[in-house]
Amino acid sequence: MNRFKKHLDLQNVLKIIQGDDSEYEGCDSDSDEDIDDPDYTPTRKDMENDESSGSDSESGSSDLEDAQPHTGRQNTTSQGKNTFSWRKKYFETPECTFKGPSVTPPDNLQTPLEYFRKFITSEMLELLKEQTNLYSVQQSGSQKNVNTTVKEMEILIGIYLRMGLHQMSGNRAYWENDTRCPMVADNMSRNRFQTLLACLHFTDNNDLSNRQEGDKCWKLRSWLDMFRKQCLAITPEEHNSIDEQMVPFRGTHSPIRQYVKGKPHPWGLKIWARCSSSGILCDFAVYQGGTGKKTPLGMGGDVVVELCESLPSNQNYKVFADNFFSSPALIVKLLSRQIYFVGTLRCNRLAGCQLEDEKSLAKRGRGSVETMVEKEDRMVIVRWYDNKAVTLISSYCAVEPQDKARRWRKSDKAFVEVNRPHIVKEYNKFMGGIDLLDASVANTT
């Protein structure tokens, strides 16, 4: 037990906090693995074949300015209906100045209730009231109509938000004498709260027109559509990130409940979301399970295309996503609407681009980089070595201008400056929109 009582001085604390951790811990080729992705079935043999194909490549120059435009190797392969040819040359950055409307913070901050009503409108509350009353009659007859009102629906939702800020072991605890929460108990009785929850409904079960074939969310579809409409009313920012979001749920009666290993809440409802870099939800789609059908872009690419349909074309928007979504074919698809993309890339989606392997980059030292540019200059693939290799793909930025990242070196027990490509800086800066949204939601649930 004495080994656990080791004195922690400043250097030991910094070593524990910083270590040799890369900015891409969890973003390597195996991260965000989803068994429902029809185009992703990685095996050890696949990874070994990919590494061996890259080991025969020439060592790339760290200074892309000195690279000759048409020297080095050339690789040609096809992915779906797209044919890609890769060359070792300098990536010409396209003219991608943002042309969309600028987004500035409001001069006067609104109250929480005013923000709430921007997303939960009176029309949505009226629908909720009508369907809740209707369901109570259908279940128990007219003599037991709950007769709720729009105001009471607002109070019910407000109570749930308050419960998220002040969590207890169960709903009853908010009304018990020893643990009573005045803000909850003073606004609604316990019996009324439980009655409304039992009757809460969003659509008429007896109306067959509501049951669209293949839609597992048909009971919430009207509310989801109205809520999405309010999200789409927000002016999108130049930089958007796309990722999955887990809504915690452990009930056993949901046909769309998912289990995602490694998440803070592994059991829940999966939502594909597009957020601005400031953490504002702009568009979303509820994941209802895989179809088993293979598409040219795969499940991840199809999600990005779907969520980008609500972005105006030809405005030079920038979209960021992790390696579950990224592929060269996706970049070509987005460029047809003048939307630029940056994302990490899996080793089995390189589309025949042979990059220097991780061992070779490690020998060149921390901060070494290897790039390959598509023949038509539509995209560039960059492999950067920090404490491990990470591969990124982009249609608008590459290595230059590089900056310095501060890293802890164990051998010297000191911080060192490591060269960091511009594409890495851009990804780290604008990919965190979903994380900001999750942090905000975690404070109210």
Side-chain angles (χ1 to χ4, degrees):
M1 295 298 294
N2 292 333
R3 60 189 179 91
F4 293 103
K5 298 180 180 179
K6 180 181 178 181
H7 177 67
L8 296 179
D9 56 17
L10 177 60
Q11 293 297 334
N12 287 329
V13 172
L14 290 175
K15 181 178 178 181
I16 293 174
I17 296 175
Q18 298 290 340
D20 272 352
D21 290 341
S22 166
E23 294 180 66
Y24 284 94
E25 182 177 359
C27 290
D28 55 5
S29 60
D30 295 329
S31 70
D32 296 314
E33 179 177 345
D34 196 314
I35 59 175
D36 292 317
D37 182 1
D39 291 341
Y40 183 54
T41 53
T43 62
R44 182 176 298 274
K45 183 177 180 181
D46 293 334
M47 301 296 290
E48 291 174 352
N49 289 341
D50 182 78
E51 293 296 334
S52 63
S53 65
S55 63
D56 296 332
S57 62
E58 299 175 0
S59 176
S61 171
S62 60
D63 187 0
L64 295 184
E65 297 288 350
D66 296 334
Q68 298 298 321
H70 298 290
T71 60
R73 62 191 176 277
Q74 176 179 341
N75 307 275
T76 304
T77 189
S78 61
Q79 187 179 65
K81 296 182 179 180
N82 300 283
T83 300
F84 300 100
S85 179
W86 304 93
R87 296 183 178 181
K88 188 173 180 60
K89 63 176 184 177
Y90 181 75
F91 180 67
E92 296 290 342
T93 304
E95 171 55 42
C96 56
T97 304
F98 184 56
K99 300 178 182 178
S102 59
V103 179
T104 56
D107 296 331
N108 299 318
L109 293 178
Q110 296 178 330
T111 64
L113 181 59
E114 289 173 330
Y115 277 112
F116 172 82
R117 287 175 174 166
K118 278 183 174 294
F119 295 94
I120 309 299
T121 63
S122 57
E123 180 185 5
M124 297 169 67
L125 293 171
E126 182 69 28
L127 175 65
L128 183 59
K129 179 206 74 173
E130 292 178 356
Q131 295 302 325
T132 299
N133 288 334
L134 176 62
Y135 182 72
S136 67
V137 172
Q138 291 173 343
Q139 290 296 104
S140 306
S142 59
Q143 68 275 14
K144 292 188 178 180
N145 188 345
V146 294
N147 285 321
T148 186
T149 63
V150 169
K151 182 63 176 178
E152 194 173 40
M153 288 291 98
E154 279 191 323
I155 294 175
L156 179 67
I157 297 174
I159 286 177
Y160 247 110
L161 293 176
R162 179 59 184 175
M163 287 178 172
L165 295 173
H166 185 192
Q167 297 184 16
M168 294 187 183
S169 58
N171 290 340
R172 289 177 173 267
Y174 292 90
W175 285 269
E176 293 177 354
N177 291 333
D178 294 338
T179 57
R180 189 175 187 274
C181 179
M183 191 171 290
V184 172
D186 291 347
N187 285 282
M188 185 178 292
S189 68
R190 184 195 65 189
N191 290 343
R192 183 62 175 174
F193 177 79
Q194 292 178 338
T195 299
L196 290 177
L197 283 187
C199 298
L200 196 66
H201 237 62
F202 298 85
T203 192
D204 185 0
N205 291 345
N206 297 329
D207 188 354
L208 297 180
S209 63
N210 293 327
R211 305 191 183 192
Q212 302 297 327
E213 184 179 358
D215 186 4
K216 298 178 182 178
C217 298
W218 66 271
K219 284 193 174 185
L220 293 171
R221 181 54 57 196
S222 56
W223 240 64
L224 289 175
D225 290 343
M226 286 189 284
F227 179 73
R228 180 172 179 263
K229 180 181 178 182
Q230 298 305 119
C231 293
L232 293 177
I234 300 174
T235 303
E237 299 178 17
E238 176 183 0
H239 302 93
N240 295 259
S241 60
I242 294 177
D243 204 351
E244 65 182 22
Q245 184 182 29
M246 291 297 293
V247 178
F249 178 73
R250 295 188 64 88
T252 58
H253 298 291
S254 173
I256 62 173
R257 186 185 66 156
Q258 301 287 320
Y259 177 79
V260 181
K261 183 180 178 181
K263 295 292 184 181
H265 301 284
W267 285 103
L269 311 180
K270 183 190 291 188
I271 296 177
W272 307 117
R274 175 173 62 82
C275 285
S276 64
S277 57
S278 56
I280 304 297
L281 180 65
C282 298
D283 199 0
F284 69 93
V286 179
Y287 176 63
Q288 302 185 40
T291 62
K293 299 179 181 179
K294 290 191 175 182
T295 61
L297 298 180
M299 180 190 296
D302 291 339
V303 168
V304 174
V305 172
E306 178 183 355
L307 295 180
C308 287
E309 287 178 354
S310 52
L311 284 176
S313 300
N314 304 319
Q315 300 293 312
N316 293 337
Y317 282 95
K318 282 82 177 179
V319 175
F320 298 78
D322 63 29
N323 55 33
F324 175 75
F325 306 89
S326 306
S327 69
L330 173 62
I331 283 187
V332 174
K333 181 71 174 180
L334 294 179
L335 283 177
S336 65
R337 297 186 53 222
Q338 208 169 319
I339 296 176
Y340 295 90
F341 182 87
V342 175
T344 51
L345 191 64
R346 289 176 174 173
C347 293
N348 62 345
R349 296 184 185 174
L350 292 174
C353 177
Q354 295 184 4
L355 293 167
E356 190 173 353
D357 64 359
E358 184 169 350
K359 292 182 179 179
S360 299
L361 290 173
K363 291 180 181 179
R364 291 168 49 192
R366 206 167 183 177
S368 56
V369 66
E370 167 82 348
T371 63
M372 289 291 281
V373 180
E374 197 259 342
K375 180 180 179 181
E376 300 180 18
D377 285 326
R378 293 178 293 185
M379 68 194 82
V380 58
I381 295 180
V382 177
R383 178 169 286 175
W384 177 58
Y385 185 81
D386 189 2
N387 72 323
K388 58 182 177 181
V390 61
T391 307
L392 301 98
I393 187 169
S394 172
S395 54
Y396 83 93
C397 61
V399 177
E400 301 297 340
Q402 295 191 60
D403 66 342
K404 298 291 185 178
R406 197 164 180 250
R407 293 288 185 271
W408 176 261
R409 180 182 292 172
K410 290 182 179 179
S411 59
D412 298 338
K413 296 184 179 180
F415 287 102
V416 295
E417 300 290 331
V418 176
N419 290 330
R420 180 175 61 175
H422 184 61
I423 185 175
V424 177
K425 180 181 178 181
E426 288 284 286
Y427 183 87
N428 289 338
K429 183 176 181 180
F430 298 114
M431 182 56 198
I434 304 294
D435 294 333
L436 288 175
L437 176 63
D438 287 339
S440 299
V441 172
N443 292 329
T444 56
T445 57

